[in-house]
Amino acid sequence: MPKPILLSVDDDSDVLRAIERDLRSQYGADYRVIGSDSPEGALDLLKQLKVRNDSVALLLADQRMPRMDGVEFLQQAMEIFPTAKRALLTAYADTNAAISAINHASINYFFLKPWDPPTELLYPQLDDLLDDWQASFRPPFQGIRLLGTRWSPRSYELRDFLARNHVPYQWIDVEASANDPETRRLMDALGPEAANLPVVLFPDGTRLLEGIPADVAQKVGLRTRAQTSFYDLAIVGGGPAGLAAAVYGASEGLHTVMIEREAPGGQAGMSSRIENYLGFPTGLSGADLARRAVVQAQRFGVEILSQEAVAARAEGPYRIIKLADGNEISCHALMIATGVQWRRLAVPGIDRLQGAGIYYGGGATEALSCKGEIVYVVGGANSAGQAAMNFARYAERVVILVRRESLSSTMSQYLIDQIKETPNIQLWTHAAVAEVHGETHLEEISVLCTDTNKIERVPGSAMFIFIGALPRTDWLAGLVERDERGFLLTGPDLLRDGQHPKGWALDRDPFLLETNVPGIFAVGDVRHGSIKRVASGVGEGSVAVQFIHQYLSKV
């Protein structure tokens, strides 16, 4: 934690140097001593310190300064750091002004110049002031702070990005905390920049105005550029399948890079609770599973890039990936583990309110914001059930909307049982969303009863959508064969009447998890015919590495 600050202000450079010297001599081990030769400059400095979230323990100002005296400075400084102790440096002629300041201007103490010897005339009194300050001091949060509003789609995007990448941050909703004095002081310190929400504040004092995840990734140290241009194995996608392949590939000596455009863990990483994963009888969150896997992969030397793959091609024995920033990576073996993305709900109003009450996926960052509200979950698969159980801990009521007559054909029994036992979860069957309403954020939902064809308009502040998923494989079009929905074909699915796929030049059949391009493999949810479970994705990612070894032995 940074040291708290002792700030001295005096327009006389000789006096300023003397007070700084004595302060450092006595308190330098526990405090950072800063000096300013003008009260205006000191106020600007205090605003910068407020934005950095630094702590100021003491403000010591000379009384006689041009344009602004010490009392006026301390009064203005108190608006920025109200808990800092305030003291004046005065000449004997200013004693009455100093006493008046103590009585009427909330000044804590005054010191006469000269203060020699400081051991008698300075340190004992400062010791008392600093001991008193320390008694009520609570260290501020030292990580990234994100200022924004709940209904801002860009604020949600940044919060989701930071949370899924396990970057500690503090969320400050400037509307919800508008009456909080500390939030007001921070906004005042930002000045005109406070209008450019969301604002990301970093511990070093830098800030991003209306930032995007890619800017934040670069600032927080997430790697966006590859260390080298060639790898034995490149994995596109960081869900359970990709992470498993990365761990097994790197542990078996393959120089491995994993490229993930959002955050390691994929959709599984957004699950609030996975209770049927082998070896975890009490369950674990998707975020925890992703964090453990990332640590394990990095331990074996896997390089993880926060980037997006936008194209791929084959040149002889090399498989080349083009990234969104224009750079390229080549490899001998390429594994596609991009998973799937949530299918969009096509009803009036939905696109306009996305990120402002309408969310696709788990929305873990929104759970606390839903306290005391009515939340709707659309969909009947395990991901929807896990989300409903998570929201039920905070929301007044959670309503699950499904088109079917029950959850039995789409959801695991353990989740069905938990939902039945949770009193603030309601299941609406034969129900579909017809329209959503709201100006700046979701306010109401029109729900269609498919049995009666009647529409009921109900209040709601948040709706989370889990209505199936589709692969994001357009960037592979023309290279890798896909089915009619875009899932990648592998192994036996490529053989038609016993014939190899077009362009296949090897005298063997494609390996079980290999695509129509030798050396390009597909695992997990992106693969045609895969089982949409975390454990199966991990299994495919692990098994595929053995086929990669066989492929590399012939390259």
Side-chain angles (χ1 to χ4, degrees), residues 55 88 477 494:
S55 302
L88 281 173
L494 291 165

Side-chain angles (χ1 to χ4, degrees), residues 207-259:
R207 64 204 76 170
L208 282 175
L209 308 180
E210 299 180 307
I212 60 175
D215 297 332
V216 177
Q218 192 167 20
K219 180 64 182 176
V220 301
L222 296 177
R223 184 167 288 160
T224 58
R225 297 190 65 129
Q227 289 182 321
T228 65
S229 59
F230 179 80
Y231 296 85
D232 297 322
L233 171 61
I235 302 165
V236 180
L243 284 166
V247 168
Y248 276 86
S251 68
E252 294 174 11
L254 298 180
H255 186 202
T256 303
V257 62
M258 188 177 78
I259 303 162

Side-chain angles (χ1 to χ4, degrees), residues 166-189:
H166 310 288
V167 178
Y169 74 100
Q170 181 184 48
W171 163 242
I172 301 173
D173 187 329
V174 298
E175 290 181 346
S177 58
N179 295 324
D180 175 53
E182 192 62 25
T183 300
R184 289 202 304 270
R185 283 189 282 270
L186 178 56
M187 297 293 283
D188 289 342

Side-chain angles (χ1 to χ4, degrees), residues 25 232 342 373 421 514 517:
S25 174
D232 297 322
W342 295 113
E373 299 179 352
E421 294 170 2
E514 193 173 24
V517 181

